[in-house]
Amino acid sequence: PLYSSAASDVYKRQVQDRVSTQFVGDANAVVKGLGTLVRATEADELIVTTNAHRHEDRVQSQEWLAQAWLAA
């Protein structure tokens, strides 16, 4: 096998962690998910990425998220 079962279990937990902390939807839905993450982890800082091909779309997405975050 490519990975031992112990390594496989670690890999599965890492993948699950990444999936469970990805939030997709409109800005309000993402803010809701991020708020839950902040409360659960007591994070005082977040790093947010946007998967969009065009730079303008990434910027717009971040602007919408920032507006929704400040309004929440």
Side-chain angles (χ1 to χ4, degrees):
L2 184 58
Y3 297 104
S4 70
S5 65
S8 180
D9 289 342
V10 169
Y11 177 74
K12 287 176 187 175
R13 286 192 303 273
Q14 289 173 336
V15 168
Q16 181 56 40
D17 177 65
R18 298 314 177 275
V19 170
S20 69
T21 57
Q22 292 180 14
F23 306 104
V24 179
D26 66 17
N28 292 323
V30 173
V31 164
K32 183 178 178 183
L34 291 174
T36 299
L37 179 64
V38 166
R39 287 188 299 280
T41 63
E42 299 182 10
D44 59 3
E45 182 176 358
L46 298 171
I47 298 173
V48 178
T49 60
T50 301
N51 288 329
H53 179 71
R54 292 181 347 134
H55 174 74
E56 297 84 8
D57 295 337
R58 291 190 301 275
V59 170
Q60 181 65 68
S61 176
Q62 296 287 323
E63 288 174 352
W64 287 333
L65 180 58
Q67 291 168 1
W69 183 263
L70 293 173

